[in-house]
Amino acid sequence: FYPTFYDVNPPYCFHETYILLSCNKKSKTTKFMRKTVLYLSAASLFLSSYTLKNDKEYSLAEEHIKNLPEAPEGYKWVVNEDYTDEFNGKRLNAAKWHAKSPYWTNGRPPATFKAENVSVKKGCLRIINTVLSPTEGLDGKPGDKYRLAGGAVASVKNQAHYGYYETRMKASLTTMSSTFWLSNRPVMKEIMKGGKKIKTWSSQELDIIETMGIIRSVNPDNPWNKTWNMQMNSNTHYWYQEQGGKRTDNTAKRSDVVSYMTDPSAEDFHTYGCWWVDANTVKFYYDGKYMYTIKPTTKYTDTPFDRPMFIHIVTETYDWEKQVPTAEDLKDKDKSTTYYDWVRAYKLVPIEE
């Protein structure tokens, strides 16, 4: 961008050149050069301010690299800016995030998603859970399918691939979820089965954290969710469907487990992260500490998690939690809100030799 004859700091060169050209104000060439220098100087200042702003925007994420898992030999972690946000503005960054997901537009009843339930304030992305009055049907139409509302923020870009993804979050003190996960849309593939060519569809879902601040519905005969609000609830889903068949959810067991237990998710902020190593391996971390590994099912393909995904930041209701929040439960806005301090993403690049 700068003229090649400048061999020192550009603003200094522009300043010195302007002084020299000011000595001969009558020359047309000089006037043209003066204007050119002024334009270049202004452009330089603009680019400098943009660079400083950009550097500041990602400086905390860069500093955080020291807390990530050790990079493989010959590689280093760098910030993936497409999916990194400190939420320090006054509103959601529309270049990075949809306030309402275009991938999942209606939530699981009785709660739907509302863009107005999403805000950015005091350094946090906030999703508040509210009562719908009147109730609604699909897509906001009249009906009684939904009586509550949460939020579903989604990344604009959908090419999040192998790397490290993490959020610092405080769950709402309600029986609605606080979540951070990745997913993609189904792709069609034709295969031979029984001597015939049939169509199949598959998609991925990588749940980094799903939690609730309060658990109220616990089956005494099978209390699997008794401590769900203080566990690292992560999973991989490989969704698969064959032509003429039903869509099936294929999960995988955890391995190399150090711990499942966490602090209660609504008491304070904690970090929840995963290292999506490759198509067959995902490692999960809580407050920077390794928890366990999940290897997605290879029932249908040798490389189940090889496609890029988008990010979802969602509060919703679960069908197994029958005691959903009441109007009284949601009176306290602070307790009804899930807070996301930041979302940070990183990718591995070769170390330059």
Side-chain angles (χ1 to χ4, degrees), residues 180-308:
F180 177 60
W181 45 287
L182 290 79
S183 188
N184 54 28
R185 287 181 162 172
V187 291
M188 190 274 289
K189 181 181 179 181
E190 291 185 335
I191 65 170
M192 295 299 296
K193 187 174 183 179
K196 295 182 179 180
K197 183 182 288 186
I198 64 168
K199 293 180 179 179
T200 68
W201 293 267
S202 64
S203 62
Q204 306 157 198
E205 180 182 327
L206 171 49
D207 299 328
I208 298 174
I209 182 63
E210 291 187 280
T211 186
M212 292 194 301
I214 301 173
I215 309 298
R216 287 182 176 155
S217 299
V218 178
N219 184 344
D221 297 325
N222 183 24
W224 63 271
N225 61 337
K226 185 178 180 179
T227 58
W228 213 69
N229 63 323
M230 52 182 102
Q231 293 177 186
M232 184 72 179
N233 306 306
S234 311
N235 218 329
T236 60
H237 299 265
Y238 187 81
W239 300 94
Y240 182 81
Q241 182 177 5
E242 290 185 355
Q243 189 173 351
K246 292 183 178 181
R247 184 173 182 242
T248 60
D249 177 13
N250 300 271
T251 59
K253 293 183 178 180
R254 301 171 179 89
S255 61
D256 192 23
V257 178
V258 172
S259 177
Y260 297 109
M261 303 309 296
T262 68
D263 294 317
S265 57
E267 284 190 359
D268 206 345
F269 283 91
H270 295 280
T271 61
Y272 304 88
C274 85
W275 179 5
W276 181 8
V277 180
D278 53 37
N280 300 94
T281 312
V282 187
K283 299 181 179 182
F284 295 88
Y285 298 79
Y286 171 73
D287 283 345
K289 298 178 181 178
Y290 170 80
M291 299 294 276
Y292 48 75
T293 296
I294 296 180
K295 293 183 177 296
T297 180
T298 52
K299 182 178 180 180
Y300 303 102
T301 174
D302 291 336
T303 54
F305 268 55
D306 60 348
R307 292 174 51 221

Side-chain angles (χ1 to χ4, degrees), residues 32-100:
F32 172 78
M33 288 295 293
R34 286 175 60 202
K35 288 183 179 180
T36 302
V37 168
L38 287 172
Y39 288 144
L40 290 172
S41 181
S44 172
L45 290 173
F46 171 79
L47 289 173
S48 296
S49 64
Y50 174 83
T51 300
L52 287 171
K53 180 182 178 182
N54 203 50
D55 288 346
K56 184 179 180 181
E57 183 177 359
Y58 299 109
S59 60
L60 293 175
E62 290 172 350
E63 184 180 343
H64 188 61
I65 289 175
K66 65 179 181 291
N67 300 314
L68 301 189
E70 184 177 354
E73 185 176 355
Y75 289 85
K76 65 178 180 179
W77 291 110
V78 297
V79 176
N80 186 341
E81 298 179 5
D82 290 341
Y83 308 97
T84 296
D85 200 329
E86 301 294 324
F87 302 120
N88 286 330
K90 295 181 179 180
R91 60 185 62 87
L92 193 66
N93 184 346
K96 288 190 176 185
W97 308 104
H98 297 288
K100 184 179 179 183

Side-chain angles (χ1 to χ4, degrees), residues 129 171-174 266 329-330 332-339:
N129 302 315
S172 67
L173 194 62
T174 70
D329 293 332
L330 299 179
D332 189 319
K333 291 185 178 181
D334 180 56
K335 293 180 179 178
S336 304
T337 300
T338 300
Y339 296 88

Side-chain angles (χ1 to χ4, degrees), residues 299-344:
K299 182 178 180 180
Y300 303 102
T301 174
D302 291 336
T303 54
F305 268 55
D306 60 348
R307 292 174 51 221
M309 297 188 271
F310 50 80
I311 289 178
H312 257 155
I313 304 168
V314 177
T315 69
E316 58 177 314
T317 48
Y318 291 123
D319 53 10
W320 52 263
E321 177 53 85
K322 305 303 180 184
Q323 299 186 54
V324 298
T326 63
E328 184 67 26
D329 293 332
L330 299 179
K331 274 187 176 180
D332 189 319
K333 291 185 178 181
D334 180 56
K335 293 180 179 178
S336 304
T337 300
T338 300
Y339 296 88
Y340 296 87
D341 185 14
W342 43 254
V343 168
R344 293 172 182 165

